[in-house]
Amino acid sequence: MTLQHNPGSKLQNIPKENNFTSVHSALITVEGVVQGVGFRPFIHRLAKTHGLYGFVSNTTTGVHIEVEGNKDQIDCFYTDIEKNTPPVAQIQAKKISFQNPKGHINFEVRKSFSSTKKLTLLSPDLSICSDCTRELFDPDNRRYLYPFINCTNCGPRFTIIESLPYDRSATTMKPFIMCDSCSAEYGDIQDRRYHAQPDACPECGPDVTLFDCGDEYSANQQPSGNEAVNGAIEALKKGRIVAIKGIGGFHLACDATNDEAVERLKERKQREKDKPLAVMVPSVTTAKKLCMITDKEEALLSSIQRPIVLLEKLLPCPVSSHVSPDNKRLGVMLPYTPLHYILFADTSEQAGAADIDNMRHHFSALVMTSANTSDEPIVKDNDQAIEKLSFIADYILLHNRDILKSCDDSVVQVFNNHTSFIRRSRGYVPFPVVHRFKFKKTLACGAELKNTFCLTKSNYAFLSQHVGDLKNWETYTHFQDSIDHFKRNFQIEPELIACDLHPEYLSTRFAENYVDKHFDGDQKRLFRIQHHHAHIASCMAENGISEKVIGVAFDGTGFGTDSTIWGGEFLLCDYKDFERAAHLDYAPLAGGDSAIKEPWKMAISYLYLTFGDEFKSLDLRFLNTLEKDKIILLEDIVKKGIHTVQTSSMGRLFDAVSAIVLLKTHITYEGQGAIELEQRIGNKTEKYYSFSFIDKDGKLIIDYRPVFRDIIKDVNSGLDASEISRRFHNTIIRIIVETCDKLSEKTGLNKVAISGGCFQNRFLTEGVTELLEQKGFICFSHSKVPPNDGGISLGQAIVANERSKDVCWDTGKSC
């Protein structure tokens, strides 16, 4: 639009170098992850480059930009917004419209303003960038060894934001008033800290203190600053346990090469001795001395998300054997906060600016495990840390920048050169999963174990950080508070509520109570989603599949529509409905949930169902390790069906085989038997065990009895456990492929989605994918959310949305 000159207009102020008759004005809105990632400074610099005038500001809908200048300049500017976006930003949508010029005479960053129309995406917490790391170890820099150095490209975001728009006053940095030097950086468009909301320095920012858990007078004489950090370093060197406050909560740390320290940490934390711990190492160079690392794994380690990456150990591995016992893999992460780097770096002989990779280090590896007591959420507050961690840690390294929302470390592994999540949390949350279809506003409450919830709006599905196992009041309270936090920041008031089919889950009860409270008990708002249908729907959603698939859902526990426990399922499903087309044959879960911790019980069930009364006469070392009275009692329970529920769980099948082959009769953490069975897989063999199918009422029932007969033969022949493990894994792969073949012949479907906790097994997932693709199937697995119950809330949300389309909202009856 070209305007005519009006001497009385503000347009007189447009600089003479702009041809007045060619001045255009554009309004641009940008949506996505565009706050807290240096986006406004980027826009400011870009506008200057293109000679444009106007302003940029944050809103609750995203970023609002007005520019004036030559039409060609505006067009180039608009194109460059996406072409040269800051690395952490993610643009989901941008829009331009033209308007009458207002006579802007410069370009400025304006104060944020609120809107209630749309949402803005929040940035996750970001690991310290290379520029800040360089300054951290430069003695001439005013932030030398300052534990809270950050800029627009790094530092805390999600865990300190109270509300949007993203400004310092809306974060837990609000109490820290910037000094003149920091204010100057904050207002300098050429500076890396231009409008960096958490910006601080030793003069005006947060500080650390060291609390001595063994000194009742410590509260009055806590060392601070460098003295506190040095005290923590010396304590770690002496084998002490130090609780360290990070971005998303506290870690419990000790020297990972010190056997006694690691044992003491596990004992005090009441952590199972066999359960592995994660370690933090100062650099990729050090990590390569502990583990074998592929290019993809190195990229993940060094990424701005800095997850824990499961890596193959080098043998002998320099860390204590107590860190990851009976496990070929080690969870490794790099430092992601300035404080982490300072704890590792030995600067005693530093002469000038130093590169962290080439510095001497106090430690080759530190254990870094979430600081919490049994089954409770990670500790995040100082008072809470002193109260709950003083019985575990010898010292607590505190700081006074509050953590608003706790957030555990993410855990990933690499399958087929793709990332597979075990836990999706810090560094990734609250980035949404973007779906091809628009959602109604939905709250999906997730499962009981490894709980996450999911809120949806527009095309976005916002999965929460890892909440944990909903088995106690503390975790349940954390679950509720986190839902409120997400609802507030993403401006989502749910219309639909989704939950698991299991009536006793706390997440299910929360959903029921939510409907009672917010919808006067209107049951048409509540959607109870079968566990394994939700698993497959989550895999379909993240892969953008809209048509029906063969879904393979293998896990330990999921409440079935027949009130039994499912877990070895083949479903023909779309987002709305499913048909249970095949499943592992049932076996009694003798003793209920106790059978999960005591796999010998499932082994007895399977042996009895395979061999009948004769199983007791089998010459098995496994049976010889058990008390005869217990065997007879359990046999009676199985025969009479006392205190049992039927299960088709693949997880329980793995448990039973590990009990028989590895003598893993009792486990101390979830999935231990299956994990150790995978660890024992031996050299390459194509052999597998016999199995058969039973056609029952149009369903394929997978008969496990031939599998156990063959396993018992191999055990009695003295075949090595590693060979038996490989043959068993090959068998499960063959079962999946042959079942999919039969279902494909019947239905014509050739797309397979695999999901469930069993597919955290690398050998199983890679083997299934390869063989299915050889057979002409298209196989889909997870890479954006975990295959375990941590990803199930996404599936619940999308199934609820699909089913809601058939609800007549006036009557609640199906349309």
Side-chain angles (χ1 to χ4, degrees):
M1 180 187 298
T2 302
L3 299 183
Q4 299 301 314
H5 179 51
N6 177 355
S9 167
K10 285 180 65 179
L11 295 177
Q12 296 176 83
N13 294 324
I14 293 179
K16 294 179 180 179
E17 61 265 29
N18 285 330
N19 184 338
F20 180 77
T21 58
S22 65
V23 171
H24 288 67
S25 179
L27 168 62
I28 299 169
T29 56
V30 184
E31 298 174 18
V33 182
V34 289
Q35 295 193 25
V37 292
F39 198 81
R40 287 182 296 172
F42 156 70
I43 291 296
H44 192 298
R45 290 189 291 270
L46 194 63
K48 291 284 188 181
T49 299
H50 288 283
L52 299 173
Y53 302 90
F55 69 90
V56 59
S57 111
N58 280 342
T59 75
T60 45
T61 69
V63 168
H64 176 99
I65 306 164
E66 288 191 19
V67 287
E68 292 182 358
N70 180 277
K71 178 68 163 57
D72 290 340
Q73 291 172 314
I74 292 176
D75 289 342
C76 289
F77 169 81
Y78 187 67
T79 300
D80 283 350
I81 289 176
E82 200 147 8
K83 190 184 292 183
N84 300 313
T85 299
V88 185
Q90 290 191 7
I91 294 177
Q92 302 292 349
K94 64 187 176 84
K95 186 165 57 177
I96 186 170
S97 60
F98 287 88
Q99 60 185 8
N100 292 332
K102 299 178 182 177
H104 294 291
I105 60 174
N106 56 20
F107 196 92
E108 60 185 347
V109 176
R110 287 191 179 175
K111 186 177 180 180
S112 303
F113 62 91
S114 298
S115 168
T116 58
K117 292 181 180 178
K118 292 186 179 180
L119 57 82
T120 296
L121 305 186
L122 297 179
S123 165
D125 300 305
L126 309 172
S127 70
I128 181 173
C129 67
S130 57
D131 289 329
C132 284
T133 306
R134 196 176 306 113
E135 292 175 350
L136 184 66
F137 294 109
D138 180 359
D140 295 328
N141 191 283
R142 70 189 187 92
R143 293 185 177 88
Y144 176 60
L145 299 184
Y146 181 55
F148 304 94
I149 187 172
N150 67 85
C151 68
T152 53
N153 299 319
C154 67
R157 299 290 191 275
F158 169 68
T159 52
I160 66 168
I161 294 175
E162 295 178 349
S163 62
L164 290 175
Y166 176 59
D167 286 312
R168 191 182 185 97
S169 60
T171 73
T172 59
M173 285 296 293
K174 181 179 179 179
F176 302 98
I177 308 302
M178 282 189 282
C179 65
D180 290 344
S181 297
C182 287
S183 293
E185 292 170 334
Y186 185 88
D188 183 357
I189 188 62
Q190 301 301 324
D191 198 283
R192 199 174 78 253
R193 295 185 173 87
Y194 178 64
H195 280 237
Q197 304 304 337
D199 187 23
C201 73
E203 183 180 334
C204 64
D207 196 7
V208 293
T209 54
L210 186 65
F211 179 82
D212 184 345
C213 300
D215 184 354
E216 62 181 307
Y217 302 106
S218 175
N220 298 319
Q221 50 187 4
Q222 295 176 12
S224 61
N226 290 338
E227 184 184 354
V229 177
N230 291 334
I233 292 169
E234 289 306 311
L236 290 166
K237 284 182 177 180
K238 292 176 181 177
R240 303 290 190 266
I241 299 166
V242 180
I244 301 167
K245 189 175 183 180
I247 284 183
F250 282 81
H251 283 111
L252 289 167
C254 71
D255 183 350
T257 64
N258 186 321
D259 284 339
E260 291 183 6
V262 178
E263 277 193 289
R264 194 183 310 116
L265 191 156
K266 283 190 170 183
E267 182 181 341
R268 290 185 185 177
K269 194 185 176 186
Q270 299 180 350
R271 188 182 180 93
E272 303 84 349
K273 288 186 177 181
D274 296 335
K275 193 170 184 179
L277 297 165
V279 300
M280 180 179 283
V281 298
S283 66
V284 171
T285 303
T286 307
K288 289 180 176 179
K289 295 176 182 177
L290 307 181
C291 301
M292 293 180 283
I293 303 177
T294 65
D295 290 345
K296 175 68 173 178
E297 289 165 341
E298 181 174 340
L300 279 168
L301 274 175
S302 306
S303 68
I304 200 164
Q305 290 84 12
R306 296 286 167 95
I308 296 170
V309 184
L310 295 189
L311 304 171
E312 199 82 12
K313 285 181 190 173
L314 289 172
L315 297 176
C317 186
V319 301
S320 167
S321 61
H322 300 293
V323 170
S324 184
D326 298 321
N327 200 315
K328 292 181 179 179
R329 295 198 288 175
L330 182 66
V332 180
M333 62 178 158
L334 295 185
Y336 55 86
T337 72
L339 181 57
H340 292 151
Y341 273 115
I342 296 168
L343 289 169
F344 278 104
D346 182 354
T347 59
S348 58
E349 298 180 11
Q350 183 180 344
D355 179 355
I356 186 66
D357 284 333
N358 298 317
M359 293 178 69
R360 292 174 56 186
H361 300 127
H362 293 297
F363 314 97
S364 59
L366 290 173
V367 166
M368 284 281 185
T369 185
S370 297
N372 58 347
T373 50
S374 182
D375 294 326
E376 291 187 8
I378 186 173
V379 172
K380 68 179 181 67
D381 298 323
N382 292 347
D383 291 344
Q384 186 186 29
I386 292 170
E387 177 189 349
K388 295 197 170 188
L389 302 181
S390 293
F391 303 100
I392 304 173
D394 299 298
Y395 295 90
I396 304 176
L397 191 57
L398 306 158
H399 64 68
N400 57 344
R401 184 181 66 203
D402 288 341
I403 298 170
L404 188 68
K405 291 309 302 177
S406 60
C407 196
D408 285 270
D409 296 315
S410 294
V411 185
V412 302
Q413 55 187 335
V414 176
F415 287 172
N416 293 321
N417 208 37
H418 294 293
T419 303
S420 177
F421 284 94
I422 293 173
R423 180 198 296 161
R424 181 181 181 271
S425 205
R426 179 191 51 76
Y428 297 93
V429 172
F431 272 175
V433 175
V434 182
H435 193 55
R436 59 191 298 182
F437 304 120
K438 287 194 173 183
F439 292 101
K440 291 180 179 176
K441 295 176 183 178
T442 306
L443 168 61
C445 299
E448 180 175 65
L449 301 180
K450 298 180 177 65
N451 178 271
T452 65
F453 59 84
C454 179
L455 279 161
T456 65
K457 183 178 183 179
S458 185
N459 298 85
Y460 302 132
F462 299 96
L463 270 76
S464 72
Q465 74 274 38
H466 171 76
V467 174
D469 296 349
L470 290 180
K471 291 187 173 183
N472 56 56
W473 178 253
E474 290 80 7
T475 308
Y476 185 60
T477 300
H478 173 43
F479 168 76
Q480 295 177 89
D481 291 345
S482 296
I483 288 174
D484 289 340
H485 182 68
F486 269 66
K487 283 172 56 183
R488 181 172 64 253
N489 277 304
F490 295 120
Q491 301 179 34
I492 299 174
E493 283 300 330
E495 305 166 78
L496 313 176
I497 311 298
C499 65
D500 195 271
L501 196 61
H502 199 300
E504 298 302 320
Y505 283 177
L506 282 179
S507 53
T508 301
R509 292 180 178 181
F510 172 85
E512 293 169 344
N513 291 337
Y514 193 97
V515 169
D516 287 343
K517 180 179 179 181
H518 295 272
F519 301 111
D520 295 326
D522 184 357
Q523 292 301 303
K524 68 177 180 288
R525 301 282 182 177
L526 180 62
F527 295 84
R528 303 174 192 271
I529 314 299
Q530 200 283 321
H531 190 89
H532 301 96
H533 186 200
H535 265 308
I536 301 305
S538 71
C539 183
M540 292 171 65
E542 70 161 84
N543 285 287
I545 307 169
S546 56
E547 60 268 45
K548 184 174 283 190
V549 300
I550 299 171
V552 185
F554 283 5
D555 62 5
T557 300
F559 194 72
T561 55
D562 58 358
S563 297
T564 63
I565 303 300
W566 293 5
E569 311 306 313
F570 293 82
L571 310 179
L572 305 178
C573 63
D574 51 26
Y575 290 130
K576 180 181 171 185
D577 293 309
F578 73 93
E579 174 191 348
R580 192 187 192 197
H583 62 84
L584 189 66
D585 200 2
Y586 284 120
L589 189 67
D593 286 347
S594 70
I596 297 172
K597 289 285 188 180
E598 301 177 64
W600 70 270
K601 293 181 178 179
M602 282 308 303
I604 295 295
S605 291
Y606 285 116
L607 289 176
Y608 173 76
L609 292 171
T610 301
F611 296 98
D613 292 333
E614 301 301 315
F615 86 92
K616 293 191 295 297
S617 63
L618 294 170
D619 185 18
L620 277 178
R621 188 180 170 198
F622 159 68
L623 291 174
N624 295 334
T625 63
L626 302 174
E627 297 176 22
K628 288 186 179 180
D629 290 347
K630 286 188 175 181
I631 295 174
I632 293 170
L633 176 61
L634 197 78
E635 179 189 14
D636 194 49
I637 289 172
V638 171
K639 282 181 180 178
K640 297 177 179 177
I642 304 168
H643 300 303
T644 65
V645 61
Q646 295 294 311
T647 181
S648 60
S649 166
M650 183 59 69
R652 302 291 78 81
L653 186 73
F654 270 84
D655 286 347
V657 173
S658 72
I660 294 169
V661 177
L662 303 180
L663 305 182
K664 187 57 67 175
T665 57
H666 295 72
I667 62 171
T668 57
Y669 63 90
E670 185 195 5
Q672 183 181 1
I675 290 170
E676 293 190 11
L677 201 60
E678 181 189 4
Q679 299 292 322
R680 293 294 292 273
I681 292 174
N683 295 327
K684 189 171 184 179
T685 178
E686 300 301 322
K687 292 184 178 181
Y688 57 93
Y689 295 125
S690 305
F691 59 91
S692 61
F693 294 97
I694 303 167
D695 193 331
K696 185 177 181 181
D697 300 327
K699 288 187 178 66
L700 286 176
I701 310 300
I702 300 151
D703 187 2
Y704 47 72
R705 292 163 185 82
V707 178
F708 279 100
R709 291 190 189 101
D710 284 353
I711 287 176
I712 298 307
K713 286 178 185 176
D714 279 349
V715 170
N716 286 338
S717 72
L719 189 65
D720 190 78
S722 62
E723 178 72 9
I724 297 174
S725 176
R726 190 174 189 103
R727 290 183 183 186
F728 173 69
H729 279 83
N730 288 344
T731 304
I732 303 304
I733 292 169
R734 290 282 176 173
I735 286 172
I736 293 171
V737 174
E738 289 195 26
T739 306
C740 288
D741 254 341
K742 291 178 180 295
L743 296 178
S744 180
E745 288 175 11
K746 183 178 179 181
T747 64
L749 299 175
N750 79 325
K751 291 184 176 179
V752 179
I754 59 176
S755 186
C758 290
F759 291 107
Q760 294 173 129
N761 183 314
R762 181 175 181 173
F763 184 90
L764 180 63
T765 301
E766 291 183 340
V768 165
T769 303
E770 181 181 358
L771 203 53
L772 281 171
E773 289 177 349
Q774 286 177 10
K775 291 273 191 177
F777 287 95
I778 303 171
C779 185
F780 298 93
S781 56
H782 290 276
S783 61
K784 296 178 182 177
V785 302
N788 59 40
D789 285 3
I792 211 167
S793 59
L794 172 62
Q796 291 176 344
I798 197 165
V799 173
N801 270 266
E802 285 300 304
R803 291 184 179 174
S804 72
K805 295 175 182 177
D806 290 340
V807 174
C808 291
W809 292 101
D810 290 338
T811 63
K813 298 178 181 178
S814 294
C815 296

